[in-house]
Amino acid sequence: MRLHIIGICGTFMGSLALLARELGHEVSGSDANVYPPMSTQLPEAGITLMEGYREENLSGAIDLVVVGNALSRGNPEVEALLDSGLRYTSGAQWLAEYVLPGRQVLAVAGTHGKTTTASLLAWLLESAGLSPGFLIGGVPRNFGVSARLGAFDAPFVVEADEYDTAFFDKRSKFVHYRPHIAVMNNLEFDHADIFPDLAAIERQFHHLVRIVPRKGQLLVADQQPALERVLSMGTWSPVSRFGTDASSQWQLRLERPDASRFQVLHVSDQGEEDGVVEWTLTGEYNARNALAALAAARLCGVQLARACAALARFQTPRRRQELRGEINGIQVIDDFAHHPTAIAATLEGLRAATTKGRLLAVIEPRSNTMRLGALRERLIDSVAEADAVFWFQPSNVAWSMESLVEAQGERAALFDNIEALVEAVVTQASPLDRIVVMSNGGFEGVHERLLNALTKKELEQ
């Protein structure tokens, strides 16, 4: 089959392309403003990448067009598709029809931590010899790819996004996956471009709850009022909670403040079992992600002790507290955090693990929610752990960030020019500092710009 994917460089659609290629299909795709990892990962897999959306991209014998959810009416390639009469579907629907049938599906949902938790779960299953398939909205470094089929009789881990499916299907993507095990990590307001309020997202999460079979399992984070409201709408599957509450079936007990070592306790009708995790990640939020993954892996038959030991060999996905380089003792760290809660959690985790030097936060509020200013008041408190904050205002942000920066005093500065931002950061950075770059986009290649400028500064000294 010849597939053409419109919007192929998004992490989800690019992952679909890899799965389709692995199934033996001929795959091409188009996108605009492409950047790594997908811009390099796809051609390496033998997938034809066309930059820009054009009617000519649909030429040739195409059997099926898969349309990404970032595409809308008015896009020239979408309009040409509708005129052409070619068969088309959404990415989530294609996955449900061509990859997931016959598999035990483990879906990882939540406002934050989906990529890390899904990567953790896939790694735990892999370490136990199960050869899982997966589709993850990032590149787990333990695997080097964002998606693979795995063994056809093995579980399949999918990052389950609540964003809508396509311009012709406004349901959340995760309702297509029909998971046997659904992990719900947390729930806050996000995606202000498509959801009017938190209650609307809660209804979508309940749609996910509705399709988990009675022989399946809901793994739900404790201390999450929005998730409790979701469950109050009705459940038909067993529910296990995980977190720090003494009443939860899966409990987390930190043994170090930075969460680099913690104890896990599992309480069930069969008794209690526990384990200890010592790993390279930091932050309580990452420990909670790991707890969710341990619980899901246990449901797939992975022994707790073996899974805890495997976490010592886990590598964070790309763009999740990823160390991009170190020059003259100054680290440049890349993180996908793009919501106030995620920004705060990232900085808190790094602060707990930083015994020397300062945290310099470089932030681009690029997500649709941030761009619309829906949560802008919360951004002030989100950077409390940073010693200095360098804000970048993209041209498409619908509100002025000047008042936000002024409220943070002398430790904050605002830039609309990437060269000026890089110069300011490098001028202030000193050995042992950590520069933490947070954005859900390419950020004009600021990571490499910072490393190059730091190298130049070192050579000039």
Side-chain angles (χ1 to χ4, degrees):
M1 179 184 291
R2 164 92 189 281
L3 268 69
H4 180 73
I5 301 176
I6 308 178
I8 194 171
C9 283
T11 50
F12 177 74
M13 301 303 286
S15 298
L16 282 183
L18 296 177
L19 295 177
R21 191 75 178 88
E22 195 174 349
L23 284 169
H25 301 302
E26 181 184 352
V27 184
S28 64
S30 56
D31 212 318
N33 302 318
V34 301
Y35 54 85
M38 287 304 169
S39 61
T40 55
Q41 186 176 190
L42 295 173
E44 289 171 0
I47 295 167
T48 302
L49 179 59
M50 308 168 184
E51 187 158 2
Y53 298 115
R54 298 183 297 273
E55 181 176 354
E56 308 88 80
N57 294 340
L58 300 175
S59 62
I62 297 175
D63 298 297
L64 181 65
V65 178
V66 185
V67 183
N69 67 348
L71 282 299
S72 304
R73 288 300 304 266
N75 177 284
E77 199 162 331
V78 168
E79 295 303 317
L81 168 65
L82 296 176
D83 290 339
S84 71
L86 288 168
R87 285 200 309 132
Y88 63 90
T89 188
S90 68
Q93 186 66 39
W94 185 88
L95 182 70
E97 292 181 359
Y98 290 90
V99 176
L100 300 184
R103 307 289 293 265
Q104 181 187 27
V105 179
L106 290 78
V108 179
T111 307
H112 319 291
K114 292 186 293 293
T115 297
T116 299
T117 305
S119 300
L120 283 160
L121 178 52
W123 171 242
L124 294 180
L125 299 175
E126 177 78 359
S127 298
L130 297 182
S131 299
F134 57 82
L135 188 156
I136 297 172
V139 180
R141 287 188 288 163
N142 288 98
F143 297 97
V145 292
S146 59
R148 77 173 192 192
L149 292 174
F152 285 97
D153 59 350
F156 193 96
V157 179
V158 59
E159 182 174 327
D161 187 5
E162 72 272 22
Y163 207 83
D164 61 15
T165 299
F167 74 85
F168 49 86
D169 183 352
K170 291 304 176 183
R171 296 173 294 170
S172 289
K173 285 191 291 191
F174 55 39
V175 301
H176 293 274
Y177 303 149
R178 301 184 181 182
H180 301 84
I181 299 170
V183 176
M184 296 196 292
N185 251 353
N186 41 62
L187 182 52
E188 291 189 73
F189 181 65
D190 198 4
H191 308 307
D193 52 322
I194 62 171
F195 292 119
D197 50 35
L198 180 56
I201 309 177
E202 290 171 3
R203 283 191 290 274
Q204 292 297 322
F205 269 69
H206 194 248
H207 294 165
L208 176 63
V209 169
R210 285 176 175 271
I211 58 175
V212 177
R214 61 183 179 179
K215 294 182 179 180
Q217 184 88 32
L218 293 167
L219 294 172
V220 184
D222 61 26
Q223 301 181 16
Q224 290 287 319
L227 291 180
E228 293 305 319
R229 289 193 294 269
V230 170
L231 297 181
S232 72
M233 299 179 196
T235 59
W236 299 265
S237 316
V239 178
S240 291
R241 287 175 174 79
F242 62 90
T244 55
D245 281 352
S247 59
S248 293
Q249 289 88 343
W250 287 87
Q251 298 172 28
L252 170 69
R253 299 173 181 175
L254 299 184
E255 294 189 358
R256 291 177 185 158
D258 66 356
S260 61
R261 181 182 170 93
F262 57 90
Q263 183 182 15
V264 175
L265 176 65
H266 177 215
V267 181
S268 67
D269 294 338
Q270 288 72 45
E272 295 185 2
E273 57 179 340
D274 60 13
V276 174
V277 174
E278 188 162 5
W279 62 345
T280 60
L281 275 68
T282 58
E284 182 177 336
Y285 69 102
N286 273 324
R288 291 179 70 100
N289 291 338
L291 184 65
L294 289 166
R298 188 71 182 89
L299 291 171
C300 295
V302 181
Q303 294 301 310
L304 180 59
R306 181 172 186 172
C308 288
L311 289 179
R313 305 190 304 278
F314 176 73
Q315 296 177 293
T316 57
R318 290 191 62 183
R319 308 211 61 199
R320 271 69 182 179
Q321 287 191 32
E322 179 187 1
L323 178 61
R324 293 288 294 269
E326 182 172 339
I327 307 295
N328 192 28
I330 302 169
Q331 292 184 344
V332 176
I333 298 170
D334 185 12
D335 197 86
F336 199 73
H338 60 280
H339 183 284
T341 298
I343 292 170
T346 294
L347 292 173
E348 287 167 5
L350 288 171
R351 170 62 68 196
T354 302
T355 57
K356 298 179 180 179
R358 298 169 299 157
L359 284 180
L360 311 182
V362 181
I363 306 174
E364 177 192 35
R366 180 184 175 276
S367 72
N368 288 330
T369 300
M370 290 291 95
R371 184 170 51 80
L372 294 171
L375 301 173
R376 58 185 173 185
E377 293 83 6
R378 292 181 55 193
L379 285 172
I380 296 176
D381 293 335
S382 73
V383 294
E385 295 292 346
D387 295 292
V389 189
F390 303 83
W391 295 96
F392 182 71
Q393 177 145 7
S395 59
N396 62 353
V397 167
W399 53 282
S400 173
M401 296 171 60
E402 290 183 3
S403 60
L404 165 72
V405 174
E406 289 174 359
Q408 294 171 335
E410 294 183 356
R411 71 189 184 100
L414 177 63
F415 302 86
D416 59 9
N417 178 278
I418 200 72
E419 287 82 8
L421 181 149
V422 169
E423 182 180 357
V425 175
V426 170
T427 298
Q428 189 167 151
S430 301
L432 303 180
D433 286 350
R434 285 175 159 180
I435 301 170
V436 190
V437 180
M438 288 175 276
S439 169
N440 68 338
F443 205 163
E444 299 189 30
V446 71
H447 317 84
E448 290 303 318
R449 291 173 187 255
L450 285 166
L451 289 169
N452 290 337
L454 287 168
T455 300
K456 181 179 179 182
K457 178 181 177 181
E458 183 183 27
L459 293 172
E460 291 175 348
Q461 289 178 342

